Amino acid sequence: MRVHQTPHHQPDHNLPEKLRHQPDHKPDRKPNHQPDRKLNHQLPTRALLPLATAVFLTSLTETLPAGVLPGLSAGLGVGEPAAGQAVTVYALGTALTAIPLSAATSGWGRKRLLLTAMAGFAVANTVTAVSASYPLTMAARFVAGVAAGLAWALLAGYARGLAPEPLRGKAIALVMTGIPVALSFGVPAGTFAGDAFGWRAPFFAMTVLAVGTIAWIAALVPDRPGRRHEKAPVLRALTVPGVTPVLAVTLVFVLAHTILYTYVATFLSTLGLGGQTDLVLLVFGLASLVSIAVVGAHIHRRLRVLTLAGAVLVAVAAAVLALTGGSPALVYVAAALWGLGWGGVPTLLQTAAADAGGEQADAAQAMLVTLWNAAMAAGGVAGGILLDAFGARVFPWTVLVLLAPVLAVVVSARGHGFPRARTTAA
């Protein structure tokens, strides 16, 4: 039996000398990039979870005084209405400083900026926890709001920058899970801790968690550069097509949600369900988590549809609450619809702002954070005025009225802002 050798094992003396002595190998025309491609399309969960925790802490701390209001007012020697301004002052700190501070720090590395913001946040919470002075407490709350606003203005863009382009929507969705978790589980937990250990305990806990988060970010989150070349005024982002519709939707949608959410316990009391507020909010929170999962899975292609669906679901929930005669079953159905509609809204609006902003994405995010917190502050004030004038039953109807222009703007912004065919920002 003869074994046939392949030609490349023997020299070919008919070849020119130059070619004869070249190494005999075939170039790899198809390098195996499959592992790299696979790696590039994985969500960087280890880096995103610390960012989600930062969102959780800043969201929880904003509303935490509401859960410990009696103890807070007694400890500071003021009435509950005055103590309740701790929430408003926090929101004002964010709203008044997010834009100028974002512009001033646009050239900073994202990691350095986030660590600085979280350090300021931890210090402000510590001062709040030890203060016995009302003015000092309000000053600390304002500083905490400033730090939170600075963090909020960069977190969505930071998350986008850490993820591959097809997964940027999922990255923002993961980071934004901190919001419903804070509102649905964190606030009740803070209230329980305040009742058990005193109103200062939850603020000390926020400090400890913030310090742990700083260490977590330092260890696991890669840095991303700032935008040193951007010298244009932040407000120039308003001239970018699509940014203004997104910001308008943000302002009115958040205002509608905040009016109802802030006074949901009061509203439920008028239905004889005041004792079930925690359970209603739990249903809302669980539905919000489902909403975030759905949005994260489909935002890359269906941002416009998801935004419209979110507004419609919240409107339906408000209609059910407005028309219910106090049926507990209908209230829980409405809470679930509310959560399904609202849960993904932060992700949708921040993604829409980043897409529309393009090179001005950071400026657009800063304005979104400013308007978001302005709407939260205004929601508390407007809700109080409505409550005094018309009673708690007016809140669902107010939501319906406000959502009408939200739907109109989203429908009309089909070219820019909420386009039919989504394009992603660099």
Side-chain angles (χ1 to χ4, degrees):
M1 178 177 177
R2 299 180 60 186
V3 178
H4 295 280
Q5 293 182 337
T6 54
H8 69 271
H9 289 302
Q10 296 181 354
D12 188 345
H13 297 289
N14 294 323
L15 289 173
E17 183 72 16
K18 184 177 178 180
L19 296 178
R20 190 187 309 163
H21 296 289
Q22 286 184 344
D24 185 18
H25 69 278
K26 294 182 179 180
D28 188 1
R29 296 180 180 274
K30 295 182 179 180
N32 185 12
H33 294 303
Q34 188 62 30
D36 291 338
R37 185 182 301 118
K38 187 175 182 179
L39 287 174
N40 287 339
H41 283 75
Q42 290 180 346
L43 197 65
T45 306
R46 279 171 36 118
L48 294 174
L49 286 177
L51 304 188
T53 305
V55 171
F56 169 79
L57 293 177
T58 52
S59 300
L60 172 56
T61 302
E62 181 164 19
T63 55
L64 186 58
V68 295
L69 199 57
L72 178 64
S73 64
L76 297 179
V78 298
E80 289 192 12
Q85 298 310 306
V87 176
T88 303
V89 167
Y90 188 104
L92 287 175
T94 298
L96 294 176
T97 63
I99 289 177
L101 281 182
S102 294
T105 58
S106 62
W108 288 33
R110 301 295 89 181
K111 185 171 183 175
R112 173 192 172 196
L113 184 56
L114 180 57
L115 290 172
T116 301
M118 292 305 295
F121 178 79
V123 170
N125 270 308
T126 302
V127 173
T128 303
V130 302
S131 172
S133 164
Y134 180 75
L136 179 60
T137 299
M138 292 299 106
R141 290 289 296 173
F142 184 87
V143 172
V146 171
L150 188 57
W152 264 72
L154 70 92
L155 278 168
Y158 201 171
R160 285 171 63 90
L162 293 173
E165 191 276 331
L167 298 179
R168 287 177 177 174
K170 288 186 177 181
I172 296 178
L174 175 58
V175 170
M176 289 302 113
T177 55
I179 297 174
V181 172
L183 295 179
S184 304
F185 308 111
V187 172
T191 302
F192 174 80
D195 292 340
F197 305 107
W199 70 268
R200 300 180 188 276
F203 291 100
F204 275 122
M206 290 300 99
T207 296
V208 173
L209 291 173
V211 171
T213 302
I214 289 170
W216 196 5
I217 293 169
L220 294 182
V221 181
D223 195 11
R224 286 294 180 269
R227 295 176 179 256
R228 295 185 181 276
H229 63 282
E230 288 188 352
K231 302 296 183 183
V234 173
L235 293 178
R236 186 169 296 179
L238 292 173
T239 65
V240 179
V243 170
T244 300
V246 174
L247 296 179
V249 168
T250 299
L251 178 63
V252 182
F253 206 162
V254 175
L255 177 64
H257 165 78
T258 303
I259 287 174
L260 181 57
Y261 187 88
T262 302
Y263 294 94
V264 65
T266 305
F267 174 77
L268 291 174
S269 295
T270 65
L271 302 179
L273 300 173
Q276 300 184 40
T277 300
D278 290 347
L279 290 176
V280 171
L281 290 180
L282 177 62
V283 171
F284 168 83
L286 293 174
S288 294
L289 294 178
V290 173
S291 175
I292 287 177
V294 172
V295 166
H298 299 286
I299 191 173
H300 184 59
R301 296 183 181 277
R302 297 183 174 89
L303 184 146
R304 175 182 173 81
V305 172
L306 290 169
T307 306
L308 288 169
V312 169
L313 284 170
V314 175
V316 172
V320 172
L321 291 175
L323 298 174
T324 182
S327 166
L330 288 178
V331 169
Y332 283 104
V333 168
L337 292 173
W338 185 11
L340 288 173
W342 176 257
V345 167
T347 300
L348 291 165
L349 294 179
Q350 290 198 310
T351 301
D355 287 354
E359 290 297 319
Q360 294 288 327
D362 287 348
Q365 292 288 347
M367 285 189 285
L368 183 143
V369 170
T370 296
L371 290 177
W372 189 290
N373 283 274
M376 290 187 66
V381 174
I385 295 172
L386 290 170
L387 180 62
D388 290 339
F390 304 105
R393 288 295 188 104
V394 76
F395 294 138
W397 295 107
T398 303
V399 172
L400 285 171
V401 170
L402 291 173
L403 287 179
V406 168
L407 285 166
V409 171
V410 176
V411 169
S412 63
R414 61 176 61 89
H416 299 282
F418 301 96
R420 290 177 175 174
R422 181 183 169 220
T423 57
T424 56

